[in-house]
Amino acid sequence: MPTSVLPALRLDEVTVRFGGLVAVDSISMEIAPGQRWAVIGPNGAGKTTLFRTVSGEQIPTSGSVALFDEDITQKPPHKRAHRGIGRTYQITNLFLELTVEDNVMIAAQGLSRSRYVSWLPVRHKGPFREQVHWALEQVKLSDKRTTLVNEMSHGEQRQLELAMGLASKPRLLLLDEPAAGLSASERVLMRRLIEELPRDLTLVLIEHDMELALEVVEWVLVLDNGKMIASGPPDEIRQNETVHAVYLKSD
Amino acid sequence: MTLTNRAKLAALGFGLVAAVAAPYAFRPFTVSIITLALIFGLYAMSIDLMAGYAGLVTLGHAGVFATGAYGVGYVASRIGGATGQQLLVGMAAGLVVTSIFALMAMRVGGTYFLMVTLAQGMIVWGFATRSTDLGAENGLTGVARPSAFSAYWKFYYLTLAIVLLCSLAMWVIVHSPFGLSLRGLKGSETRLQMLGYNPALTKFYVFMLAGLFGTVAGVMYAYYNQFVSPSNAVFATSGKGVLMAIMGGIGTLIGPVVGAFIIVFIENVLSVHIERWPTLLGLLFIFTILGARKGFVGALSDGWYRWVPGARAERSTRTVSPLDAGDDAVAAPEVKAN
């Protein structure tokens, strides 16, 4: 999507190879601040690999990644987090033995120097306490603060994933299949939660379910076998015959 | 105050009173064994800081423990330095070796961490057995306790004070923001890194803290035994510390102390009456793993919540968050929702 302002995220000819397999093939994209994008495609299309090049868990074989015009291609994930990238995981990746609020507290204090403070109690950190409350309110989990994560339902864990992504107040949030494994009613709630996210937050969503993805974003990138096969607004993508063919093939 | 907290406070008070009264109630041999259990309790707690809280199980912590002991032993028996010099060299040697080990281990995890730390302990053991300056296999003798604490009961109180001080410091650490991030490291290193934490730095920091307390235990052990030998660095000593932590209750601070008391008493008291005491120790460990995976303290805690009605009710009705205490205001931070 062409932008006139400084892009929040810019990928330039990003390619990821695993031996002879090209998982992501020369992908370029430019996302303006506050925009909501979806990256869709069938299984094995390269969506998660592309995500990992943005989050820093995968360094691209070639090409570059820039966040607000700063080249972050070689930066590790924790340095990217400090520059404003947050992400959630397709397979729930939480601290299962801790309570909900402790999970979000770890996220909230993650960008502060005080994360290495070992001589003060954690709960005396006022600003983080507000962030924890705020993030849990955003995902409707305020009443579950003292619940152990391993005692929560899968749907609630997905909500907590979202809170973890929000708690550090990122500028760019990557949501990796937020509705994976959810029931119909839970998907409705997740869709509402995503729609209610702060509007100044730049969002990139991976979703296998095309319909859910198209309902909550403004621009869609469609991948197949690591290649971009279509890019455009949701309505345009809905009418795109190539996209339909890819999804019919995968079904 | 909840019933559970009152019970914890009462147990702590009872423990402190019993600890202070021990020299008056027991004969010197028993007090000496309690002193040894306290030193190993501190050693096991330092292992638990890594293994129980951060999920970094070390198999070479005896290397750090022994380095502190050898530092004291070397100055005492080879140079004839004063107590201050012994302590300085013992602590410095332990921390220097810890920092080198931490740099070696900070970028690995899981099985690789086990292997690296196992090798580290073996390096110290190998060095100690070969170095003639350190007495090789004969070790270093003539390590005298500080004159003010030479009497068995005075040394006991010194040990008790140091162990309590170190326990308090570790309690503060595990309840701090860094302590919370350690538990995050144990839960998921990839997630922790994505939240802005440098896992290697976190591992280095906790390794240094564990090394600090492990060195203190080693220094105290040198004075306790008045003799330092390569057996202090051998793998069995590392394994024993892990065993103490697991048997008592890994991931709790009191658990490793309880585990240390159990193992030290089996080794030193029951061994007089039972010839096959290592078999007993082995069986006890197997039963702990099979029947009480959270260790003695974990089993006690589960039993408390299961069998005490008041405590059970507390657990099931705990809905108010500690975060709520004193402030109910929920302010939206800088990111605003439309």
Side-chain angles (χ1 to χ4, degrees):
Chain A
M1 190 178 190
T3 58
S4 55
V5 293
L6 193 67
L9 178 70
R10 192 180 64 240
L11 268 60
D12 191 18
E13 301 284 316
V14 167
T15 298
V16 180
R17 293 176 198 273
F18 299 113
L21 175 75
V22 184
V24 174
D25 194 355
S26 202
I27 299 293
S28 297
M29 60 197 275
E30 208 170 279
I31 304 177
Q35 278 189 341
R36 296 182 170 196
W37 276 53
V39 179
I40 65 170
N43 285 332
K47 305 184 296 287
T48 297
T49 307
L50 183 68
F51 239 41
R52 287 165 59 87
T53 63
V54 179
S55 66
E57 293 154 286
Q58 177 71 52
I59 303 296
T61 313
S62 62
S64 67
V65 181
L67 184 75
F68 291 97
D69 223 22
E70 181 191 1
D71 188 348
I72 57 166
T73 313
Q74 301 297 325
K75 300 257 186 262
H78 61 275
K79 291 198 173 168
R80 297 190 192 203
H82 283 268
R83 281 160 176 77
I85 293 183
R87 79 159 285 184
T88 68
Y89 288 82
Q90 178 185 347
I91 298 167
T92 309
N93 191 356
L94 301 166
F95 309 120
L96 297 176
E97 293 179 6
L98 303 183
T99 61
V100 167
E101 68 187 5
D102 279 347
N103 269 263
V104 185
M105 180 61 87
I106 290 176
Q109 68 179 24
L111 304 185
S112 155
R113 282 176 183 272
S114 66
R115 69 191 181 281
Y116 293 121
V117 166
S118 57
W119 54 91
L120 289 173
V122 68
R123 304 209 190 282
H124 284 190
K125 295 286 162 193
F128 301 136
R129 186 172 68 175
E130 287 174 8
Q131 272 173 252
V132 170
H133 280 218
W134 173 78
L136 288 176
E137 281 208 337
Q138 286 283 311
V139 301
K140 319 292 181 215
L141 279 180
S142 296
D143 59 338
K144 297 277 183 184
R145 283 177 209 148
T146 58
T147 305
L148 285 173
V149 175
N150 59 16
E151 292 175 358
M152 295 169 82
S153 69
H154 176 69
E156 289 171 333
Q157 290 186 357
R158 302 304 299 171
Q159 287 167 248
L160 181 56
E161 270 283 342
L162 192 54
M164 298 279 280
L166 282 174
S168 57
K169 296 188 286 181
R171 295 191 287 175
L172 168 67
L173 182 60
L174 309 170
L175 301 179
D176 191 351
E177 297 208 26
L182 296 185
S183 66
S185 61
E186 287 170 335
R187 293 174 86 84
V188 172
L189 173 63
M190 183 55 72
R191 179 188 149 188
R192 190 157 62 86
L193 294 178
I194 294 170
E195 284 172 341
E196 289 173 1
L197 289 176
R199 284 305 312 179
D200 55 355
L201 176 65
T202 311
L203 200 68
V204 184
L205 172 80
I206 286 182
E207 188 51 62
H208 183 63
D209 181 337
M210 191 166 76
E211 279 314 306
L212 185 133
L214 299 188
E215 284 167 4
V216 295
V217 300
E218 297 139 6
W219 199 266
V220 184
L221 182 80
V222 189
L223 294 181
D224 185 32
N225 287 326
K227 288 189 171 68
M228 184 181 80
I229 58 165
S231 177
D235 287 342
E236 202 176 285
I237 294 298
R238 280 193 184 94
Q239 309 301 325
N240 189 305
E241 289 182 6
T242 313
V243 174
H244 275 276
V246 163
Y247 268 84
L248 284 173
K249 182 183 72 184
S250 71
D251 289 340
Chain B
M1 188 184 281
T2 63
L3 181 65
T4 304
N5 284 344
R6 281 206 301 271
K8 280 181 185 173
L9 210 59
L12 184 67
F14 176 78
L16 282 176
V17 170
V20 172
Y24 298 97
F26 300 115
R27 57 204 173 93
F29 173 73
T30 310
V31 174
S32 172
I33 297 300
I34 296 172
T35 309
L36 183 62
L38 285 172
I39 292 169
F40 271 113
L42 176 59
Y43 170 61
M45 266 197 285
S46 71
I47 289 176
D48 193 39
L49 199 59
M50 290 175 73
Y53 287 91
L56 299 167
V57 179
T58 168
L59 292 180
H61 209 54
V64 173
F65 176 80
T67 304
Y70 267 108
V72 170
Y74 183 78
V75 176
S77 83
R78 291 284 193 261
I79 299 176
T83 304
Q85 290 170 309
Q86 294 167 18
L87 289 173
L88 192 69
V89 172
M91 291 306 301
L95 289 177
V96 167
V97 166
T98 300
S99 59
I100 295 168
F101 285 180
L103 286 170
M104 289 163 70
M106 65 194 265
R107 297 200 183 276
V108 294
T111 313
Y112 300 105
F113 189 85
L114 281 176
M115 293 298 106
V116 169
T117 53
L118 175 66
Q120 290 171 346
M122 298 302 281
I123 288 170
V124 175
W125 175 78
F127 186 77
T129 51
R130 298 287 175 187
S131 169
T132 49
D133 285 337
L134 298 179
E137 291 186 354
N138 296 323
L140 296 171
T141 54
V143 184
R145 290 177 187 173
S147 53
F149 299 98
S150 56
Y152 80 92
W153 61 273
K154 287 182 180 171
F155 188 71
Y156 166 78
Y157 281 123
L158 175 69
T159 306
L160 180 65
I162 288 171
V163 171
L164 284 176
L165 200 66
C166 290
S167 304
L168 181 67
M170 278 189 260
W171 187 87
V172 170
I173 289 166
V174 301
H175 288 88
S176 69
F178 179 68
L180 191 58
S181 67
L182 289 183
R183 299 173 77 184
L185 184 68
K186 183 183 179 186
S188 170
E189 186 174 328
T190 52
R191 168 61 103 170
L192 195 72
Q193 187 174 21
M194 203 59 241
L195 293 172
Y197 296 81
N198 182 343
L201 193 60
T202 308
K203 285 180 194 171
F204 180 83
Y205 193 9
V206 72
F207 210 117
M208 289 305 297
L209 289 170
L212 170 69
F213 296 116
T215 302
V216 172
V219 165
M220 293 307 294
Y221 186 73
Y223 286 125
Y224 171 83
N225 230 13
Q226 300 179 50
F227 167 62
V228 185
S229 78
S231 69
N232 302 151
V234 78
F235 167 69
T237 307
S238 294
K240 190 160 75 176
V242 177
L243 200 68
M244 287 167 172
I246 292 173
M247 193 174 277
I250 203 159
T252 65
L253 284 180
I254 192 70
V257 181
V258 173
F261 269 82
I262 293 170
I263 291 176
V264 166
F265 271 81
I266 289 176
E267 276 184 350
N268 295 278
V269 180
L270 285 188
S271 60
V272 177
H273 308 288
I274 303 169
E275 192 183 347
R276 295 186 184 278
W277 64 268
T279 309
L280 176 73
L281 193 60
L283 286 172
L284 192 63
F285 185 60
I286 290 170
F287 285 131
T288 306
I289 294 297
L290 293 179
R293 289 193 178 183
K294 294 184 197 166
F296 183 84
V297 171
L300 197 69
S301 169
D302 286 349
W304 169 262
Y305 284 115
R306 180 177 294 177
W307 303 114
V308 179
R312 198 166 55 224
E314 275 171 17
R315 178 174 257 189
S316 62
T317 58
R318 185 176 172 245
T319 53
V320 179
S321 160
L323 282 178
D324 286 333
D327 185 4
D328 290 323
V330 180
E334 291 149 32
V335 181
K336 293 184 183 72
N338 280 349

